[in-house]
Amino acid sequence: MNLRIPGPTPCPPQVLEAMAKQMINHRGPEFGEIVRDVTANLRAFFQTRNDLLILTASGSGGMEAAIVNTLSPGDKVLAVSIGVFGERFARIAGIYGADVTRLNFEWGKPADPDEVRRALEAEPRYKAVLVTHNETSTGVTNDLPAIAKVVKEHGKLLLVDGISSVGSIEIKTDDWGCDVVVSGSQKGWMVPPGLVFVTMSEQAWRAEAEAKMPRFYLDVAAAKRYLEKDQTPFTPAVSLFYALQVALRMMDEEGRDNVFDRHAKIAQHTREGVKALGLQLFADERFASNTITAVRVPEGVDGKQLTKVLREDKGVVVSGGQQSLEGKIFRIGHLGYVTEADIDNVMAALAEVLPRLGFRSSVGIAAKS
Ligand SMILES: *Cc1c(COP(=O)(O)O)cnc(C)c1O
């Protein structure tokens, strides 16, 4: 099975083996050693000296932690959204009582930093800006450094969903001024779902001290108090910590920049492969993601049928489109434990399956004539 969705992603055998180990005391010295090791390695990938907390939750739990630990009901929040996950961030803030203004951009396009600037100039009372680094639903990576620059020029708190980017696409948490950055274990980290990583800048901690939104399980102040003892407030997913330690060791051996370069090369290879088949990319190519490629379902082809036949006949599992993009796009994940050969396998499957489903490639026709 070639699992090519944007998470959960395949895990290396060493990572899976690590999870078969016996339980240990999560308040004992062995676990403490693991916590210290993985926290240090994660901070290197986030390029941060800020505190980094590991919570047992899926990515959305980390998004919720970013909101409830820094904001109060009634706070004005600017939610920059370019797709499904941007909208999710806005929804969480709204559910907890923030006064959310949405700045939505056309799906497939990135956010325009100048429009973010205009929004911040028009309403000085915003407390925070929410932004998705890599929008998994459309395959677009925002120009985060440019957006962060604008947000920090206005002194606002910047909360970043980096769930499908950090560890695969470079992020300079401190240099860019990201106050809270969230990532999840099942994306580029080659670990099963269940852990989420949350960084907190000094400005974020100052906001935390005043934030009135209710929080218990996702309380990062409690997580920080326990981290000082190399522990977590509640029983953590111990097996996932074993897995994470091994995965981070592999990433460290490969080298941080090499990991990013591999993702960039494989993404480029994927886009070229898609175009060579005569298919169209969904995302604005200048901002196309290095972790996920969204492809338009060609005219006359049933998108649901395409993903079904790829899975059943070829063992290739890709994602469909979400919400309004259902049936209109399909998405190929290339993050974490992935090689060019995995992508070649997807392209070969597409080349065989698409004509059966009624696709006539103009590329093929041009080549024949
Ligand atoms: C996967 C993903 C999420 C949601 O994570 P869950 O682990 O499913 O809760 C949020 N944001 C982005 C950008 C993602 O890719």
Side-chain angles (χ1 to χ4, degrees):
M1 199 58 86
N2 188 1
L3 183 65
R4 298 267 56 97
I5 64 173
T9 62
C11 300
Q14 306 92 300
V15 169
L16 296 177
E17 281 157 23
M19 289 193 300
K21 276 197 308 188
Q22 187 54 275
M23 286 301 102
I24 54 174
N25 179 7
H26 65 298
R27 308 260 176 242
E30 281 172 276
F31 189 72
E33 178 54 44
I34 297 172
V35 169
R36 265 200 305 282
D37 183 42
V38 296
T39 303
N41 281 328
L42 284 169
R43 286 166 86 204
F45 265 95
F46 279 77
Q47 302 190 39
T48 191
R49 302 161 82 97
N50 293 339
D51 288 311
L52 184 147
L53 295 322
I54 305 175
L55 311 175
T56 293
S58 86
S60 303
M63 296 165 80
E64 190 159 326
I67 302 280
V68 298
N69 284 287
T70 58
L71 298 172
S72 300
D75 278 349
K76 286 197 180 298
V77 169
L78 181 67
V80 178
S81 172
I82 63 168
V84 170
F85 292 106
E87 175 54 27
R88 181 176 301 180
F89 219 178
R91 269 189 65 210
I92 297 170
I95 283 168
Y96 277 98
D99 178 4
V100 179
T101 303
R102 285 167 170 77
L103 182 58
N104 293 334
F105 294 88
E106 190 190 331
W107 289 14
K109 300 249 163 29
D112 178 356
D114 288 330
E115 285 199 38
V116 176
R117 182 191 306 281
R118 281 194 282 279
L120 292 177
E121 280 168 1
E123 173 52 87
R125 287 172 299 173
Y126 285 125
K127 162 131 189 153
V129 176
L130 315 181
V131 65
T132 319
H133 185 198
N134 184 77
E135 179 50 73
T136 315
S137 67
T138 61
V140 171
T141 304
N142 267 319
D143 185 354
L144 185 58
I147 295 167
K149 187 161 176 283
V150 170
V151 173
K152 297 326 283 184
E153 277 167 11
H154 289 78
K156 308 301 178 189
L157 204 58
L158 177 58
L159 312 184
V160 179
D161 171 356
I163 293 175
S164 64
S165 59
V166 191
S168 311
I169 298 172
E170 179 157 69
I171 182 164
K172 297 188 176 184
T173 300
D174 295 0
D175 288 358
W176 297 350
C178 305
D179 293 298
V180 180
V181 180
V182 178
S183 187
S185 58
Q186 82 275 26
K187 305 285 171 120
W189 304 97
M190 311 189 290
V191 170
L195 295 179
V196 70
F197 320 127
V198 181
T199 68
M200 291 283 291
S201 71
E202 278 177 30
Q203 190 179 339
W205 282 121
R206 283 197 295 277
E208 191 275 339
E210 317 214 304
K212 301 265 183 317
M213 284 184 184
R215 48 197 187 271
F216 173 72
Y217 184 71
L218 299 173
D219 183 351
V220 291
K224 183 175 156 67
R225 280 199 304 279
Y226 277 82
L227 183 62
E228 279 155 18
K229 303 183 282 184
D230 303 319
Q231 291 183 20
T232 55
F234 312 107
T235 313
V238 172
S239 310
L240 295 178
F241 274 78
Y242 297 156
L244 180 61
Q245 187 175 36
V246 171
L248 286 168
R249 205 171 290 148
M250 290 176 68
M251 290 168 77
D252 185 51
E253 272 163 22
E254 184 175 354
R256 191 176 75 200
D257 291 342
N258 294 334
V259 171
F260 299 150
D261 285 350
R262 172 167 56 84
H263 282 86
K265 284 206 187 87
I266 291 175
Q268 183 64 29
H269 185 65
T270 307
R271 293 189 287 268
E272 281 164 8
V274 163
K275 288 190 282 185
L277 288 172
L279 298 170
Q280 284 177 357
L281 299 170
F282 176 70
D284 179 339
E285 206 174 337
R286 292 165 304 163
F287 296 90
S289 168
N290 284 345
T291 57
I292 173 120
T293 295
V295 185
R296 287 183 195 278
V297 173
E299 195 111 3
V301 173
D302 178 336
K304 273 230 169 82
Q305 195 62 17
L306 176 60
T307 52
K308 181 168 183 273
V309 174
L310 282 172
R311 184 183 73 243
E312 287 178 354
D313 291 8
K314 296 282 144 198
V316 169
V317 181
V318 298
S319 290
Q322 292 164 282
Q323 298 178 9
S324 65
L325 292 176
E326 195 181 330
K328 302 207 171 96
I329 63 168
F330 65 94
R331 295 172 299 146
I332 305 165
H334 35 78
L335 66 172
Y337 192 49
V338 57
T339 64
E340 279 196 6
D342 295 323
I343 298 304
D344 292 339
N345 174 260
V346 176
M347 296 306 155
L350 281 168
E352 197 195 305
V353 163
L354 277 167
R356 275 202 266 148
L357 297 179
F359 175 58
R360 296 286 167 269
S361 166
S362 56
V363 171
I365 291 162
K368 269 178 214 137
S369 62

